[in-house]
Amino acid sequence: MLILFSSNLESIPAWLQLASVAAWLSLVILSAWGVHRFVKTDPEIVRKIVHIGTGNVILLAWWLHIPAIVGITASIVASAVTLLSYRFPILPGINSVGRRSFGTFFYAVSVGILIAWFWHIQQPYYAVIGILVMTWGDGLAALIGQRFGKHKYKVLGGQKSWEGSLTMALVSYLIISLILLSTQGNLWQTWIISLVVALVATGLETFSFLGIDNLTVPLGSAALAFVLTQLMAG
């Protein structure tokens, strides 16, 4: 279904493609601002609205056939802005996580790397896997872990919860399965690859020192899904 949907969008003009992405990002930013301004909720909720909302742009880039150069340029600009924001209060609400972290920077970098890699070989759905596992898996794991995580464990000084890790594994498995089903069909390899990648992504997410998981999770998930698919296809 996703393949057919994507194919039907190939003829959309470039200006409309970019306008669609801009409209979505504007909606995400307005939603985050509205929650922060009127709901007065935990700042972490606002961060995750931005985290999840912006990550879904990779779906639009895939479906609308956004050129790789656009995504790579956006990644470079976003990376530069986030680096500056660590010194100047450009994105105080996004980078204020209560600990030293370069997660926002790594997030932007991972998008550029994955687009450059998988757009070039015309298999963009692997980039989508990597970003969405980070977007939804890590995002929901953090929210569930902080709110409901009662069984804690530590990895390299960082504290995680089994509830959060289970959420990461389940959400990642669902995302990977849906994307591979839509692009490769209902094969037994799909289920095995989805399970292995989800478990590895969950393991990588536990190592979040300085926000490095925002780089290792998307790159690791996409690369492993790609390699396993090639091996099993052979």
Side-chain angles (χ1 to χ4, degrees):
M1 180 180 291
L2 290 180
I3 293 178
L4 294 176
F5 179 50
S6 178
S7 298
N8 291 334
L9 296 176
E10 290 188 47
S11 59
I12 291 180
W15 69 267
L16 188 54
Q17 294 176 345
L18 297 179
S20 300
V21 173
W24 174 257
L25 291 176
S26 298
L27 178 61
V28 171
I29 293 172
L30 285 174
S31 299
W33 177 83
V35 170
H36 175 71
R37 178 69 174 79
F38 298 108
V39 180
K40 304 294 184 183
T41 188
D42 183 346
E44 184 66 14
I45 300 295
V46 177
R47 289 187 65 251
K48 292 310 175 185
I49 290 175
V50 176
H51 177 93
I52 294 174
T54 55
N56 285 317
V57 168
I58 196 71
L59 278 173
L60 292 177
W62 177 27
W63 291 340
L64 298 177
H65 300 275
I66 301 293
I69 188 62
V70 175
I72 295 170
T73 301
S75 170
I76 293 172
V77 172
S79 299
V81 170
T82 53
L83 278 181
L84 288 173
S85 73
Y86 292 116
R87 184 170 183 83
F88 306 102
I90 301 174
L91 303 170
I94 304 303
N95 291 323
S96 299
V97 297
R99 64 185 185 278
R100 184 167 180 77
S101 172
F102 293 98
T104 308
F105 170 70
F106 290 140
Y107 194 3
V109 169
S110 66
V111 172
I113 293 175
L114 289 177
I115 288 178
W117 181 0
F118 291 108
W119 255 247
H120 175 67
I121 63 174
Q122 298 183 352
Q123 298 186 67
Y125 48 89
Y126 289 110
V128 177
I129 285 175
I131 297 303
L132 290 191
V133 164
M134 185 68 217
T135 295
W136 286 98
D138 178 76
L140 292 179
L143 292 177
I144 295 298
Q146 290 173 14
R147 188 172 182 83
F148 303 106
K150 301 190 181 299
H151 302 86
K152 308 291 186 180
Y153 65 94
K154 289 188 175 182
V155 177
L156 297 179
Q159 182 170 273
K160 299 288 182 177
S161 72
W162 288 109
E163 291 84 355
S165 293
L166 179 60
T167 299
M168 173 73 180
L170 292 176
V171 172
S172 298
Y173 180 74
L174 178 61
I175 288 170
I176 300 164
S177 297
L178 288 174
I179 294 175
L180 291 182
L181 278 172
S182 71
T183 56
Q184 301 178 9
N186 186 13
L187 306 173
W188 66 267
Q189 291 94 330
T190 293
W191 308 106
I192 299 299
I193 293 171
S194 299
L195 178 60
V196 172
V197 175
L199 292 176
V200 170
T202 302
L204 291 173
E205 193 271 338
T206 63
F207 298 93
S208 55
F209 179 69
L210 293 179
I212 192 65
D213 57 318
N214 279 17
L215 186 65
T216 59
V217 169
L219 296 186
S221 299
L224 183 58
F226 174 71
V227 170
L228 288 178
T229 300
Q230 303 307 308
L231 290 176
M232 290 189 174

